[in-house]
């Protein structure tokens, strides 16, 4: 934290402008060594200064240099941003010059890590920075902005405040029992307070599971026997001839992927190899991949042929996708109906004909209904938006359950206090009130180099 770091903050490649970011105690001094223009050590904070970056009197590039003095910067350190002409060679040479004058290359996410360690943002805001960079849908962008603005932090801090007030009252009772004007915190008084907190955490988790769908999208696997029209459905959904379609069974032997957005939520759609009994080694590998993908999918689109009776292979597929979100697409409705509808163990059924495009809109509407996408897109209360945060919230909920069970079993109040305090501490981990170096290293290693 005492050294000065530098990195390219814009995408590498040909462009109008590239930005090199420098942060640390010596950032202004280091850039000033290789800047031909005003003395940067004497300029006002948050000013843009015209000049040249030079190396051994050779002009490297004509630049605009932004000088921002601590603490009013993203990292809360002195920060300099060099706006140079875009292009790989020029940008790298400017960065090389800065490094040669005393800075070092920043690690991935190190600027954001410093912002967190210096108290500029908390851990949920840091994660929202990366979510905003990686946002592939408008809904995900909105959630990331809310996290960046401190929406998640305020929810967790209010919860912890409520728990802390309860803990303080319990501590007073335990440490100063002689105080007659203090309300005695019995199990009967604590119980309704814990139930209210539990309801709040439950609500956060429920809404956050919806937020995870928006943030990560819905992994959708199209599955079925060979030649039932899986690839055609993929092509029609994404409006692109991405998968090869023929009348020959087993044409698709490896997965084919595509994406669409429905109500602001990304669907990552995977077309898989047709599942059937096969002796072909290559086809068997594709079939095993199909089954494995189905196990980890958020949504299964199970395709059946309207023109054929259910087969043993169909019935095996039913077992593969048990306890999953399944929409059955009965394809080829332009042909005679030979399928036994009453033998299909699923209620979400769509009839489809990819030749005439019948049923594709019905399939999309069924997905909207199944995942409440209409409500998700209008929901302004989404909060935790990644697995780490949701897992910690669930752990804190379990600790409250332990406390409530203790009350039910007439456990002494000082023992119940331990579980309540553990809940308070676990919620603190969400916003980074407590953390390990391993957690920070793992989290910020996922960031891009200049952020």
């Amino acid at each position: 934290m005492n050294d000065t770091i530098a990195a390219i903050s814009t995408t590498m490649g040909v462009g109008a402008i590239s930005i090199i970011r420098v942060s640390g105690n010596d950032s202004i001094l280091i850039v000033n060594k290789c800047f031909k223009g005003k003395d940067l050590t004497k300029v006002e904070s948050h000013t843009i200064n015209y000049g040249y970056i030079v190396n051994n009197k050779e002009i490297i590039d004509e630049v605009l240099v932004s000088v921002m003095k601590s603490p009013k910067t993203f990292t809360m350190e002195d920060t300099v941003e060099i706006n140079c002409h875009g292009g790989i060679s020029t940008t790298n040479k400017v960065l090389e010059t800065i490094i040669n004058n005393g800075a070092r290359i920043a690690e991935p996410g190190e600027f954001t890590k410093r912002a967190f360690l210096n108290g500029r943002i908390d851990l949920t805001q840091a994660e929202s920075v990366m979510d905003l960079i990686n946002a592939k849908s408008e809904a995900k962008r909105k959630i990331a902005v809310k996290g960046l603005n401190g929406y998640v932090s305020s929810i967790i801090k209010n919860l912890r405040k409520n728990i802390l007030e309860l803990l303080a009252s319990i501590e007073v009772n335990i440490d100063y029992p002689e105080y007659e004007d203090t309300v005695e915190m019995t199990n009967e008084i604590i119980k309704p307070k814990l139930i209210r907190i539990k309801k709040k955490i439950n609500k956060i988790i429920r809404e956050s599971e919806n937020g995870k769908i928006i943030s990560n999208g819905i992994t959708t696997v199209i599955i079925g026997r060979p030649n039932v029209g899986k690839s055609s459905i993929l092509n029609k959904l994404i409006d692109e001839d991405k998968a090869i379609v023929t009348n020959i069974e087993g044409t698709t032997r490896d997965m084919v992927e595509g994406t669409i957005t429905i109500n602001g939520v990304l669907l990552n759609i995977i077309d898989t190899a047709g599942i059937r009994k096969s002796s072909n080694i290559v086809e068997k590998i594709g079939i095993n991949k199909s089954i494995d993908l189905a196990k980890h999918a958020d949504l299964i689109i199970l395709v059946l042929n309207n023109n054929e009776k259910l087969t043993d292979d169909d019935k095996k597929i039913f077992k593969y996708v048990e306890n999953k979100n399944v929409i059955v697409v009965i394809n080829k409705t332009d042909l005679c109906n030979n399928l036994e509808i009453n033998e299909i163990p699923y209620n979400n059924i769509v009839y489809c004909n990819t030749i005439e495009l019948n049923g594709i809109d019905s399939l999309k509407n069924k997905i909207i209904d199944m995942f409440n996408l209409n409500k998700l897109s209008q929901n302004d209360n989404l909060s935790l938006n990644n697995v780490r945060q949701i897992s910690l919230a669930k752990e804190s909920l379990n600790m409250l359950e332990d406390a409530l069970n203790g009350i039910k079993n007439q456990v002494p109040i000082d023992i119940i206090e331990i579980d309540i305090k553990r809940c308070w501490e676990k919620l603190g981990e969400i916003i980074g009130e407590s953390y390990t170096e391993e957690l920070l290293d793992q989290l910020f290693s996922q960031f891009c180099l200049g952020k």
Side-chain angles (χ1 to χ4, degrees), residues 218-273:
I218 300 171
T219 301
T220 305
V221 171
I222 304 176
I223 198 167
R225 288 190 293 109
N227 209 29
V228 292
K230 299 185 301 298
S231 297
S232 295
I233 289 171
L234 170 69
N235 289 343
K236 298 305 179 186
L237 276 172
I238 66 175
D239 196 23
E240 180 184 345
D241 290 335
K242 193 159 190 177
I244 299 172
V245 177
T246 73
N247 291 324
I248 302 170
E249 290 190 355
T251 298
T252 303
R253 295 197 173 186
D254 203 352
M255 61 182 189
V256 180
E257 298 183 67
T259 60
I260 59 169
T261 300
I262 299 179
N263 283 31
V265 175
L266 197 69
L267 259 69
N268 306 298
I269 308 173
I270 306 171
D271 176 27
T272 62

Short mmCIF file of all heavy atoms in Angstrom, two decimals, residues 218-273:
data_model
loop_
_atom_site.label_atom_id
_atom_site.label_comp_id
_atom_site.label_asym_id
_atom_site.label_seq_id
_atom_site.Cartn_x
_atom_site.Cartn_y
_atom_site.Cartn_z
N ILE A 218 -30.03 -17.04 -16.98
CA ILE A 218 -30.64 -18.36 -16.80
C ILE A 218 -29.94 -19.34 -17.73
O ILE A 218 -30.03 -19.21 -18.96
CB ILE A 218 -32.15 -18.32 -17.10
CG1 ILE A 218 -32.85 -17.32 -16.17
CG2 ILE A 218 -32.77 -19.71 -16.97
CD1 ILE A 218 -34.30 -17.05 -16.55
N THR A 219 -29.24 -20.30 -17.16
CA THR A 219 -28.59 -21.33 -17.97
C THR A 219 -29.67 -22.30 -18.45
O THR A 219 -30.30 -22.99 -17.66
CB THR A 219 -27.53 -22.09 -17.16
OG1 THR A 219 -26.55 -21.15 -16.70
CG2 THR A 219 -26.85 -23.15 -18.01
N THR A 220 -29.87 -22.32 -19.76
CA THR A 220 -30.98 -23.06 -20.37
C THR A 220 -30.42 -24.16 -21.27
O THR A 220 -29.64 -23.88 -22.18
CB THR A 220 -31.86 -22.12 -21.20
OG1 THR A 220 -32.30 -21.04 -20.37
CG2 THR A 220 -33.07 -22.84 -21.76
N VAL A 221 -30.82 -25.40 -21.01
CA VAL A 221 -30.33 -26.53 -21.80
C VAL A 221 -31.50 -27.14 -22.57
O VAL A 221 -32.54 -27.46 -22.00
CB VAL A 221 -29.68 -27.60 -20.90
CG1 VAL A 221 -29.37 -28.86 -21.69
CG2 VAL A 221 -28.40 -27.04 -20.27
N ILE A 222 -31.32 -27.26 -23.87
CA ILE A 222 -32.31 -27.91 -24.73
C ILE A 222 -31.93 -29.38 -24.84
O ILE A 222 -30.82 -29.72 -25.25
CB ILE A 222 -32.36 -27.26 -26.13
CG1 ILE A 222 -32.64 -25.76 -26.01
CG2 ILE A 222 -33.43 -27.93 -26.99
CD1 ILE A 222 -32.60 -25.03 -27.34
N ILE A 223 -32.85 -30.26 -24.47
CA ILE A 223 -32.52 -31.68 -24.39
C ILE A 223 -33.64 -32.50 -25.03
O ILE A 223 -34.78 -32.06 -25.13
CB ILE A 223 -32.31 -32.09 -22.91
CG1 ILE A 223 -31.55 -33.40 -22.78
CG2 ILE A 223 -33.63 -32.12 -22.15
CD1 ILE A 223 -31.06 -33.66 -21.36
N GLY A 224 -33.29 -33.68 -25.50
CA GLY A 224 -34.27 -34.56 -26.14
C GLY A 224 -33.59 -35.61 -26.99
O GLY A 224 -32.36 -35.63 -27.12
N ARG A 225 -34.40 -36.49 -27.58
CA ARG A 225 -33.85 -37.51 -28.47
C ARG A 225 -33.32 -36.86 -29.76
O ARG A 225 -33.65 -35.72 -30.06
CB ARG A 225 -34.94 -38.54 -28.83
CG ARG A 225 -35.32 -39.46 -27.70
CD ARG A 225 -36.22 -40.59 -28.20
NE ARG A 225 -37.52 -40.09 -28.64
CZ ARG A 225 -37.94 -40.03 -29.90
NH1 ARG A 225 -37.14 -40.43 -30.87
NH2 ARG A 225 -39.14 -39.58 -30.20
N PRO A 226 -32.56 -37.59 -30.55
CA PRO A 226 -32.11 -37.07 -31.83
C PRO A 226 -33.29 -36.78 -32.76
O PRO A 226 -34.31 -37.47 -32.75
CB PRO A 226 -31.24 -38.21 -32.40
CG PRO A 226 -30.82 -39.01 -31.21
CD PRO A 226 -31.96 -38.92 -30.25
N ASN A 227 -33.13 -35.71 -33.54
CA ASN A 227 -34.04 -35.39 -34.64
C ASN A 227 -35.46 -35.02 -34.18
O ASN A 227 -36.42 -35.20 -34.92
CB ASN A 227 -34.13 -36.57 -35.63
CG ASN A 227 -34.45 -36.08 -37.05
OD1 ASN A 227 -34.09 -34.97 -37.41
ND2 ASN A 227 -35.13 -36.90 -37.82
N VAL A 228 -35.57 -34.47 -32.96
CA VAL A 228 -36.89 -33.99 -32.52
C VAL A 228 -37.03 -32.48 -32.76
O VAL A 228 -38.11 -31.92 -32.53
CB VAL A 228 -37.14 -34.31 -31.03
CG1 VAL A 228 -37.28 -35.80 -30.81
CG2 VAL A 228 -36.05 -33.70 -30.14
N GLY A 229 -35.93 -31.82 -33.19
CA GLY A 229 -36.00 -30.40 -33.52
C GLY A 229 -35.33 -29.48 -32.52
O GLY A 229 -35.62 -28.29 -32.48
N LYS A 230 -34.40 -30.01 -31.72
CA LYS A 230 -33.72 -29.19 -30.70
C LYS A 230 -32.94 -28.04 -31.35
O LYS A 230 -33.03 -26.90 -30.92
CB LYS A 230 -32.77 -30.06 -29.88
CG LYS A 230 -33.45 -31.18 -29.11
CD LYS A 230 -32.49 -31.94 -28.21
CE LYS A 230 -31.34 -32.57 -29.00
NZ LYS A 230 -31.80 -33.56 -29.99
N SER A 231 -32.17 -28.36 -32.38
CA SER A 231 -31.35 -27.34 -33.02
C SER A 231 -32.21 -26.28 -33.70
O SER A 231 -31.87 -25.09 -33.70
CB SER A 231 -30.40 -27.99 -34.03
OG SER A 231 -29.50 -28.88 -33.39
N SER A 232 -33.33 -26.70 -34.28
CA SER A 232 -34.24 -25.74 -34.91
C SER A 232 -34.80 -24.77 -33.88
O SER A 232 -34.93 -23.57 -34.15
CB SER A 232 -35.38 -26.48 -35.60
OG SER A 232 -34.90 -27.27 -36.67
N ILE A 233 -35.12 -25.28 -32.70
CA ILE A 233 -35.66 -24.43 -31.63
C ILE A 233 -34.60 -23.43 -31.17
O ILE A 233 -34.89 -22.25 -30.95
CB ILE A 233 -36.18 -25.29 -30.47
CG1 ILE A 233 -37.45 -26.01 -30.90
CG2 ILE A 233 -36.43 -24.45 -29.22
CD1 ILE A 233 -37.95 -27.06 -29.95
N LEU A 234 -33.34 -23.90 -31.02
CA LEU A 234 -32.26 -22.97 -30.68
C LEU A 234 -32.17 -21.86 -31.72
O LEU A 234 -32.13 -20.67 -31.38
CB LEU A 234 -30.93 -23.71 -30.57
CG LEU A 234 -29.69 -22.80 -30.44
CD1 LEU A 234 -29.68 -22.10 -29.09
CD2 LEU A 234 -28.40 -23.57 -30.64
N ASN A 235 -32.13 -22.23 -32.98
CA ASN A 235 -31.99 -21.25 -34.06
C ASN A 235 -33.13 -20.24 -34.05
O ASN A 235 -32.92 -19.04 -34.26
CB ASN A 235 -31.91 -21.95 -35.42
CG ASN A 235 -30.61 -22.70 -35.61
OD1 ASN A 235 -29.63 -22.47 -34.91
ND2 ASN A 235 -30.58 -23.63 -36.56
N LYS A 236 -34.35 -20.71 -33.82
CA LYS A 236 -35.51 -19.81 -33.83
C LYS A 236 -35.51 -18.91 -32.59
O LYS A 236 -35.90 -17.74 -32.67
CB LYS A 236 -36.81 -20.61 -33.90
CG LYS A 236 -36.95 -21.47 -35.15
CD LYS A 236 -36.80 -20.66 -36.44
CE LYS A 236 -36.93 -21.57 -37.67
NZ LYS A 236 -36.65 -20.85 -38.92
N LEU A 237 -35.08 -19.43 -31.47
CA LEU A 237 -35.03 -18.62 -30.25
C LEU A 237 -34.05 -17.46 -30.38
O LEU A 237 -34.36 -16.32 -30.01
CB LEU A 237 -34.65 -19.48 -29.05
CG LEU A 237 -35.77 -20.25 -28.36
CD1 LEU A 237 -35.20 -21.21 -27.32
CD2 LEU A 237 -36.77 -19.31 -27.69
N ILE A 238 -32.86 -17.76 -30.92
CA ILE A 238 -31.83 -16.71 -31.02
C ILE A 238 -31.89 -15.99 -32.35
O ILE A 238 -31.11 -15.06 -32.59
CB ILE A 238 -30.42 -17.29 -30.79
CG1 ILE A 238 -30.03 -18.27 -31.90
CG2 ILE A 238 -30.32 -17.96 -29.43
CD1 ILE A 238 -28.59 -18.78 -31.79
N ASP A 239 -32.82 -16.42 -33.23
CA ASP A 239 -33.00 -15.80 -34.55
C ASP A 239 -31.70 -15.81 -35.35
O ASP A 239 -31.28 -14.81 -35.92
CB ASP A 239 -33.52 -14.37 -34.40
CG ASP A 239 -34.10 -13.83 -35.71
OD1 ASP A 239 -34.49 -14.65 -36.56
OD2 ASP A 239 -34.15 -12.60 -35.87
N GLU A 240 -31.06 -16.98 -35.37
CA GLU A 240 -29.79 -17.12 -36.06
C GLU A 240 -29.57 -18.59 -36.40
O GLU A 240 -29.88 -19.46 -35.57
CB GLU A 240 -28.66 -16.63 -35.16
CG GLU A 240 -27.27 -16.72 -35.75
CD GLU A 240 -26.19 -16.30 -34.76
OE1 GLU A 240 -26.53 -15.67 -33.73
OE2 GLU A 240 -25.01 -16.61 -35.01
N ASP A 241 -29.06 -18.89 -37.58
CA ASP A 241 -28.79 -20.28 -37.97
C ASP A 241 -27.44 -20.72 -37.40
O ASP A 241 -26.46 -20.88 -38.12
CB ASP A 241 -28.79 -20.42 -39.50
CG ASP A 241 -30.18 -20.26 -40.08
OD1 ASP A 241 -31.16 -20.53 -39.36
OD2 ASP A 241 -30.29 -19.84 -41.24
N LYS A 242 -27.43 -20.91 -36.09
CA LYS A 242 -26.17 -21.24 -35.43
C LYS A 242 -25.92 -22.74 -35.39
O LYS A 242 -24.79 -23.20 -35.52
CB LYS A 242 -26.17 -20.67 -34.01
CG LYS A 242 -24.80 -20.69 -33.35
CD LYS A 242 -24.72 -19.69 -32.21
CE LYS A 242 -23.29 -19.55 -31.74
NZ LYS A 242 -23.17 -18.55 -30.66
N ALA A 243 -26.97 -23.51 -35.16
CA ALA A 243 -26.83 -24.97 -35.10
C ALA A 243 -27.17 -25.57 -36.46
O ALA A 243 -28.09 -25.12 -37.14
CB ALA A 243 -27.76 -25.53 -34.03
N ILE A 244 -26.43 -26.59 -36.85
CA ILE A 244 -26.68 -27.28 -38.12
C ILE A 244 -27.95 -28.12 -37.98
O ILE A 244 -28.11 -28.87 -37.01
CB ILE A 244 -25.49 -28.17 -38.50
CG1 ILE A 244 -24.23 -27.31 -38.68
CG2 ILE A 244 -25.79 -28.96 -39.76
CD1 ILE A 244 -22.97 -28.12 -38.87
N VAL A 245 -28.84 -27.96 -38.95
CA VAL A 245 -30.11 -28.70 -38.93
C VAL A 245 -30.19 -29.60 -40.15
O VAL A 245 -30.07 -29.13 -41.28
CB VAL A 245 -31.31 -27.74 -38.91
CG1 VAL A 245 -32.62 -28.52 -38.95
CG2 VAL A 245 -31.26 -26.85 -37.67
N THR A 246 -30.35 -30.93 -39.91
CA THR A 246 -30.56 -31.88 -41.01
C THR A 246 -31.59 -32.91 -40.55
O THR A 246 -31.98 -32.94 -39.38
CB THR A 246 -29.25 -32.63 -41.38
OG1 THR A 246 -28.95 -33.59 -40.36
CG2 THR A 246 -28.08 -31.68 -41.57
N ASN A 247 -31.99 -33.76 -41.47
CA ASN A 247 -32.90 -34.86 -41.13
C ASN A 247 -32.17 -36.09 -40.61
O ASN A 247 -32.79 -37.11 -40.29
CB ASN A 247 -33.73 -35.25 -42.36
CG ASN A 247 -34.72 -34.15 -42.74
OD1 ASN A 247 -35.25 -33.49 -41.86
ND2 ASN A 247 -34.93 -33.95 -44.02
N ILE A 248 -30.84 -35.99 -40.56
CA ILE A 248 -30.03 -37.14 -40.14
C ILE A 248 -29.92 -37.15 -38.63
O ILE A 248 -29.52 -36.15 -38.00
CB ILE A 248 -28.62 -37.07 -40.77
CG1 ILE A 248 -28.72 -37.01 -42.29
CG2 ILE A 248 -27.77 -38.25 -40.31
CD1 ILE A 248 -27.40 -36.72 -42.98
N GLU A 249 -30.27 -38.25 -38.00
CA GLU A 249 -30.18 -38.35 -36.54
C GLU A 249 -28.73 -38.25 -36.09
O GLU A 249 -27.82 -38.80 -36.72
CB GLU A 249 -30.79 -39.66 -36.06
CG GLU A 249 -32.29 -39.73 -36.20
CD GLU A 249 -32.89 -40.92 -35.49
OE1 GLU A 249 -32.10 -41.74 -34.97
OE2 GLU A 249 -34.11 -41.05 -35.45
N GLY A 250 -28.53 -37.55 -34.96
CA GLY A 250 -27.19 -37.45 -34.39
C GLY A 250 -26.33 -36.38 -35.04
O GLY A 250 -25.11 -36.40 -34.89
N THR A 251 -26.96 -35.43 -35.75
CA THR A 251 -26.18 -34.35 -36.39
C THR A 251 -25.43 -33.54 -35.33
O THR A 251 -24.24 -33.23 -35.49
CB THR A 251 -27.11 -33.42 -37.19
OG1 THR A 251 -27.73 -34.19 -38.22
CG2 THR A 251 -26.31 -32.30 -37.82
N THR A 252 -26.10 -33.19 -34.24
CA THR A 252 -25.45 -32.44 -33.15
C THR A 252 -24.77 -33.42 -32.22
O THR A 252 -25.43 -34.23 -31.56
CB THR A 252 -26.49 -31.61 -32.37
OG1 THR A 252 -27.16 -30.73 -33.27
CG2 THR A 252 -25.82 -30.79 -31.28
N ARG A 253 -23.43 -33.32 -32.16
CA ARG A 253 -22.68 -34.23 -31.28
C ARG A 253 -21.94 -33.47 -30.18
O ARG A 253 -21.42 -34.09 -29.27
CB ARG A 253 -21.69 -35.05 -32.11
CG ARG A 253 -22.40 -35.98 -33.08
CD ARG A 253 -21.50 -37.07 -33.58
NE ARG A 253 -22.22 -38.05 -34.38
CZ ARG A 253 -21.69 -39.17 -34.84
NH1 ARG A 253 -20.42 -39.46 -34.58
NH2 ARG A 253 -22.40 -40.02 -35.55
N ASP A 254 -21.89 -32.17 -30.28
CA ASP A 254 -21.31 -31.35 -29.23
C ASP A 254 -22.24 -30.18 -28.97
O ASP A 254 -23.13 -29.90 -29.77
CB ASP A 254 -19.92 -30.85 -29.65
CG ASP A 254 -19.05 -30.50 -28.45
OD1 ASP A 254 -19.58 -30.51 -27.32
OD2 ASP A 254 -17.86 -30.21 -28.65
N MET A 255 -22.06 -29.51 -27.87
CA MET A 255 -23.00 -28.45 -27.52
C MET A 255 -22.81 -27.24 -28.43
O MET A 255 -21.70 -26.91 -28.86
CB MET A 255 -22.83 -28.04 -26.06
CG MET A 255 -21.47 -27.49 -25.69
SD MET A 255 -21.38 -27.11 -23.93
CE MET A 255 -19.81 -26.25 -23.86
N VAL A 256 -23.93 -26.56 -28.71
CA VAL A 256 -23.94 -25.32 -29.48
C VAL A 256 -24.64 -24.28 -28.61
O VAL A 256 -25.71 -24.54 -28.07
CB VAL A 256 -24.69 -25.49 -30.82
CG1 VAL A 256 -24.68 -24.19 -31.60
CG2 VAL A 256 -24.08 -26.62 -31.64
N GLU A 257 -24.01 -23.12 -28.45
CA GLU A 257 -24.53 -22.12 -27.51
C GLU A 257 -25.00 -20.87 -28.23
O GLU A 257 -24.51 -20.51 -29.30
CB GLU A 257 -23.46 -21.73 -26.49
CG GLU A 257 -23.00 -22.89 -25.62
CD GLU A 257 -22.00 -22.45 -24.58
OE1 GLU A 257 -22.38 -21.69 -23.68
OE2 GLU A 257 -20.82 -22.86 -24.68
N GLY A 258 -25.98 -20.20 -27.61
CA GLY A 258 -26.46 -18.92 -28.08
C GLY A 258 -27.09 -18.17 -26.92
O GLY A 258 -27.35 -18.75 -25.86
N THR A 259 -27.31 -16.88 -27.06
CA THR A 259 -27.91 -16.09 -25.99
C THR A 259 -29.02 -15.21 -26.53
O THR A 259 -28.97 -14.75 -27.66
CB THR A 259 -26.87 -15.18 -25.30
OG1 THR A 259 -26.30 -14.29 -26.28
CG2 THR A 259 -25.76 -16.00 -24.66
N ILE A 260 -30.03 -15.01 -25.69
CA ILE A 260 -31.07 -14.02 -25.97
C ILE A 260 -31.38 -13.31 -24.65
O ILE A 260 -31.02 -13.79 -23.57
CB ILE A 260 -32.37 -14.65 -26.54
CG1 ILE A 260 -32.95 -15.68 -25.55
CG2 ILE A 260 -32.15 -15.24 -27.90
CD1 ILE A 260 -34.35 -16.14 -25.92
N THR A 261 -32.04 -12.19 -24.74
CA THR A 261 -32.47 -11.45 -23.56
C THR A 261 -33.99 -11.39 -23.55
O THR A 261 -34.60 -10.96 -24.54
CB THR A 261 -31.88 -10.03 -23.54
OG1 THR A 261 -30.45 -10.12 -23.53
CG2 THR A 261 -32.34 -9.27 -22.30
N ILE A 262 -34.59 -11.83 -22.45
CA ILE A 262 -36.04 -11.76 -22.28
C ILE A 262 -36.33 -10.92 -21.06
O ILE A 262 -35.88 -11.24 -19.95
CB ILE A 262 -36.67 -13.17 -22.11
CG1 ILE A 262 -36.40 -14.03 -23.35
CG2 ILE A 262 -38.16 -13.07 -21.86
CD1 ILE A 262 -36.95 -15.44 -23.24
N ASN A 263 -37.05 -9.83 -21.26
CA ASN A 263 -37.37 -8.91 -20.15
C ASN A 263 -36.13 -8.47 -19.37
O ASN A 263 -36.15 -8.38 -18.15
CB ASN A 263 -38.39 -9.54 -19.19
CG ASN A 263 -39.80 -9.50 -19.76
OD1 ASN A 263 -39.99 -9.55 -20.97
ND2 ASN A 263 -40.79 -9.40 -18.90
N GLY A 264 -35.06 -8.23 -20.09
CA GLY A 264 -33.83 -7.76 -19.46
C GLY A 264 -32.97 -8.84 -18.84
O GLY A 264 -31.92 -8.55 -18.29
N VAL A 265 -33.42 -10.10 -18.90
CA VAL A 265 -32.66 -11.21 -18.31
C VAL A 265 -32.03 -12.04 -19.42
O VAL A 265 -32.68 -12.39 -20.40
CB VAL A 265 -33.57 -12.10 -17.44
CG1 VAL A 265 -32.81 -13.31 -16.92
CG2 VAL A 265 -34.13 -11.29 -16.27
N LEU A 266 -30.75 -12.34 -19.24
CA LEU A 266 -30.00 -13.08 -20.24
C LEU A 266 -30.29 -14.57 -20.13
O LEU A 266 -30.23 -15.15 -19.04
CB LEU A 266 -28.51 -12.83 -20.05
CG LEU A 266 -27.57 -13.19 -21.21
CD1 LEU A 266 -27.79 -12.23 -22.38
CD2 LEU A 266 -26.12 -13.11 -20.75
N LEU A 267 -30.61 -15.20 -21.25
CA LEU A 267 -30.74 -16.66 -21.31
C LEU A 267 -29.53 -17.21 -22.05
O LEU A 267 -29.31 -16.88 -23.22
CB LEU A 267 -32.02 -17.07 -22.05
CG LEU A 267 -33.21 -17.51 -21.18
CD1 LEU A 267 -33.74 -16.30 -20.43
CD2 LEU A 267 -34.30 -18.12 -22.03
N ASN A 268 -28.74 -18.02 -21.36
CA ASN A 268 -27.61 -18.70 -21.99
C ASN A 268 -28.12 -20.07 -22.44
O ASN A 268 -28.29 -20.97 -21.62
CB ASN A 268 -26.46 -18.86 -20.99
CG ASN A 268 -26.05 -17.54 -20.38
OD1 ASN A 268 -25.63 -16.64 -21.08
ND2 ASN A 268 -26.21 -17.40 -19.07
N ILE A 269 -28.38 -20.20 -23.74
CA ILE A 269 -29.06 -21.39 -24.25
C ILE A 269 -28.03 -22.35 -24.85
O ILE A 269 -27.17 -21.96 -25.64
CB ILE A 269 -30.10 -21.01 -25.32
CG1 ILE A 269 -31.03 -19.92 -24.77
CG2 ILE A 269 -30.92 -22.23 -25.74
CD1 ILE A 269 -31.98 -19.36 -25.80
N ILE A 270 -28.14 -23.62 -24.49
CA ILE A 270 -27.21 -24.65 -24.96
C ILE A 270 -28.02 -25.75 -25.66
O ILE A 270 -28.89 -26.37 -25.04
CB ILE A 270 -26.40 -25.25 -23.81
CG1 ILE A 270 -25.70 -24.13 -23.03
CG2 ILE A 270 -25.38 -26.26 -24.33
CD1 ILE A 270 -25.05 -24.60 -21.74
N ASP A 271 -27.72 -25.97 -26.92
CA ASP A 271 -28.30 -27.10 -27.65
C ASP A 271 -27.37 -28.29 -27.46
O ASP A 271 -26.15 -28.18 -27.60
CB ASP A 271 -28.43 -26.73 -29.14
CG ASP A 271 -28.94 -27.88 -29.98
OD1 ASP A 271 -29.66 -28.75 -29.43
OD2 ASP A 271 -28.61 -27.94 -31.18
N THR A 272 -27.93 -29.44 -27.13
CA THR A 272 -27.11 -30.60 -26.79
C THR A 272 -27.32 -31.75 -27.78
O THR A 272 -28.27 -31.75 -28.57
CB THR A 272 -27.46 -31.11 -25.38
OG1 THR A 272 -28.84 -31.52 -25.36
CG2 THR A 272 -27.24 -30.04 -24.35
N ALA A 273 -26.43 -32.70 -27.69
CA ALA A 273 -26.54 -33.91 -28.52
C ALA A 273 -27.79 -34.69 -28.13
O ALA A 273 -28.16 -34.75 -26.96
CB ALA A 273 -25.30 -34.78 -28.33
#
